[in-house]
Amino acid sequence: MRSDQAVDDETIAPAEHLGDVISPISGGRVPRHVAVIMDGNGRWATQRGLPRRSGHRAGTENIRRVLERFGDHGVRYVTLYGFSTENWTRPESEVKAILRLLGFFLRREVNNLHKNNVHLRLAGHLEHLPERLQQQVLDALELTANNDGLTLNIAFSYGGRDEIVNAVRRLMQEGMGPDDVTEEAIRDRLFTADSPDADLIIRTGGETRISNFLLWQSAYAELYFTDAFWPDFGREDIDIALAEYGRRKRRFGGLGEDEPL
Ligand code: IPE
Ligand code: IPE
Ligand code: MG
């Protein structure tokens, strides 16, 4: 539709999607919601002659500095993909090591996150986790529930398809009829219902695919791929990724502001 034609009052202008914030560090436009596929832990370890679990450990230890840098830039929502629904098919010893690391992360980081006003959320099914870990997660969610700083979604035992199926199931359990099934109704039942759509998805580790991450929320996300393995992905890499985001022109299917009519 051209701008000189009648415009439906309900039409959403492209600019309304933009939730960008201005970085106090670079002065550039940075995303409100960054989501990260933390890939490459195994290869990082193998390259060093270490067992894969050492890579997962190093990857877990990297989370703090990454969160701090996103926070410095003013990012409001961060989603970290730590373990997918498909990752359960890995050898039991690796799965166990990763589960233990979620516990380690919570023990080590939760107080610091709470002190920094971070609101922790789980994206995934709590009931898939071992009972002791479930309790640890619940305690962390409860502790940080009233914080109004950065929202951190931990995507663990998370799959984008599973999340959508879960949302539709919930709609049906609530007795919704066909006319009640709207984009908004589904969005409100996703694990990330409290967060806006992802503005930027970063994948480390060199693969250029989504691997079942945020299928719904990534509809108009900018994608950024880097060869760096996750344990090596540091502050400068974040600055580079955010600077690249700032150069992207987001159109949401409309015309950019500077396009000639
Ligand atoms: C990402 O690292 C962490 C998980 C998927 C749990 P990988 O374990 O996939 O590392 P690579 O891809 O084998 O190097
Ligand atoms: C994606 O990485 C999942 C996480 C980083 C948690 P994978 O290593 O599981 O993805 P694929 O198998 O290479 O697509
Ligand atoms: Mg991988």
Side-chain angles (χ1 to χ4, degrees), residues 30-255:
V30 296
R32 191 162 46 151
H33 182 179
V34 183
V36 188
I37 302 174
M38 307 185 290
D39 197 21
N41 293 345
R43 282 164 287 163
W44 181 91
T46 305
Q47 268 192 354
R48 287 164 173 73
L50 298 168
R52 291 178 59 84
R53 64 170 189 285
S54 304
H56 295 310
R57 167 90 184 212
T60 307
E61 288 176 352
N62 189 36
I63 291 175
R64 183 192 280 214
R65 70 172 173 167
V66 167
L67 284 178
E68 282 174 0
R69 195 61 180 167
F70 282 136
D72 290 346
H73 275 287
V75 172
R76 302 287 300 158
Y77 300 86
V78 176
T79 301
L80 299 178
Y81 200 12
F83 189 72
S84 73
T85 46
E86 288 73 28
N87 288 150
W88 288 105
T89 64
R90 293 198 181 187
E92 196 186 332
S93 58
E94 181 166 347
V95 170
K96 276 194 172 151
I98 295 169
L99 291 172
R100 271 200 301 274
L101 280 169
L102 176 58
F104 164 79
F105 171 77
L106 293 173
R107 270 194 311 280
R108 207 171 90 141
E109 298 295 336
V110 162
N111 285 335
N112 186 44
L113 292 172
H114 182 47
K115 211 176 69 202
N116 285 294
N117 201 19
V118 171
H119 182 191
L120 205 62
R121 307 279 298 164
L122 177 74
H125 294 278
L126 190 66
E127 64 272 21
H128 293 170
L129 306 181
E131 247 167 62
R132 254 187 66 202
L133 191 53
Q134 286 188 25
Q135 195 52 53
Q136 261 185 291
V137 173
L138 283 173
D139 291 345
L141 299 183
E142 195 184 314
L143 178 71
T144 64
N146 295 321
N147 292 344
D148 59 5
L150 187 143
T151 294
L152 172 60
N153 299 303
I154 306 268
F156 202 92
S157 191
Y158 171 88
R161 287 184 173 175
D162 172 68
E163 179 181 41
I164 294 169
V165 168
N166 183 63
V168 173
R169 250 188 216 147
R170 281 184 50 197
L171 277 172
M172 298 185 80
Q173 283 162 353
E174 290 165 30
M176 299 280 203
D179 292 342
D180 302 317
V181 182
T182 59
E183 290 190 11
E184 199 175 41
I186 292 178
R187 187 199 62 205
D188 289 347
R189 287 159 184 80
L190 298 176
F191 296 128
T192 60
D194 294 343
S195 303
D197 278 355
D199 297 301
L200 171 66
I201 296 185
I202 295 173
R203 181 171 188 146
T204 62
E207 312 294 354
T208 46
R209 55 177 170 256
I210 286 293
S211 301
N212 204 11
F213 189 43
L214 300 185
L215 297 183
W216 182 281
Q217 304 87 330
S218 65
Y220 273 100
E222 296 297 323
L223 306 179
Y224 180 86
F225 299 102
T226 167
D227 287 337
F229 295 138
W230 172 251
D232 291 329
F233 187 77
R235 294 160 61 96
E236 275 184 22
D237 298 291
I238 289 175
D239 294 352
I240 292 168
L242 293 184
E244 162 70 22
Y245 174 87
R247 288 191 290 273
R248 302 271 178 99
K249 284 204 181 350
R250 304 187 73 191
R251 299 194 188 85
F252 302 96
L255 295 181

